[in-house]
Amino acid sequence: TTNNVIYTAPVSNLNTGQNNFYTGCTKNSIKSRIGQHNQAINNSARNQTTLSSHVRGLREENIPHNIKWSIRDRGPPFNPTTWFCRLCSLEKYYIMFEPEKATLNKRSEFFSHCYHKAPQLLVKH
């Protein structure tokens, strides 16, 4: 039930022992975010993440795998006073400076907008 976290999900291929890592962040509880990832993994009609695509590929090839979720860091979400989202910045920091722990993340994530910003603003842009 922890909020405002950066998390890592190592996906272990049990046949080869190879690990691939996904790093993400959530303002809501980590438990609900894991549930969203699991729904995307189980339902191909849901929005895709690179994590769900990778795990679905392993399932289609009948490769045994394991996902172990862990919290890496915490940070405050978007602040309308400073116009800065430390949560998104920390996620991008870990993807950029620890790429071995973000092998499943797309590099285009550096340029994505902050999803935590809109609920904090009084006026929609």
Side-chain angles (χ1 to χ4, degrees), residues 45-58:
R46 299 261 322 177
N47 289 336
Q48 299 286 325
T49 62
T50 53
L51 174 65
S52 64
S53 299
H54 177 71
V55 173
R56 194 174 301 115
L58 291 174

Side-chain angles (χ1 to χ4, degrees), residues 18-67:
Q18 179 185 5
N19 288 328
N20 285 300
F21 296 86
Y22 180 82
T23 297
C25 72
T26 182
K27 179 182 172 193
N28 301 325
S29 76
I30 184 71
K31 186 177 180 179
S32 68
R33 185 65 184 124
I34 291 170
Q36 291 170 348
H37 276 295
N38 287 331
Q39 286 178 355
I41 290 167
N42 294 325
N43 184 356
S44 61
R46 299 261 322 177
N47 289 336
Q48 299 286 325
T49 62
T50 53
L51 174 65
S52 64
S53 299
H54 177 71
V55 173
R56 194 174 301 115
L58 291 174
R59 283 186 178 176
E60 289 171 0
E61 296 178 23
N62 293 323
I63 297 173
H65 60 279
N66 186 25
I67 304 173

Side-chain angles (χ1 to χ4, degrees), residues 5 11 24 44 49 54 60 66 68 72 74 77 92 96 98-100 103 117 119:
V5 298
V11 181
S44 61
T49 62
H54 177 71
E60 289 171 0
N66 186 25
K68 184 176 181 179
R72 290 187 77 181
R74 295 188 67 191
K92 291 173 185 180
M96 189 180 298
E98 294 182 13
E100 67 280 357
T103 56
K117 182 183 196 178

Side-chain angles (χ1 to χ4, degrees), residues 1-7 24-30 70-77 85-91 94:
T1 60
T2 306
N3 297 336
N4 303 325
V5 298
I6 290 84
Y7 60 89
C25 72
T26 182
K27 179 182 172 193
N28 301 325
S29 76
I30 184 71
S70 62
I71 295 175
R72 290 187 77 181
D73 206 346
R74 295 188 67 191
C85 183
R86 185 144 171 85
L87 192 60
C88 289
S89 296
L90 281 170
E91 177 192 22
Y94 285 119

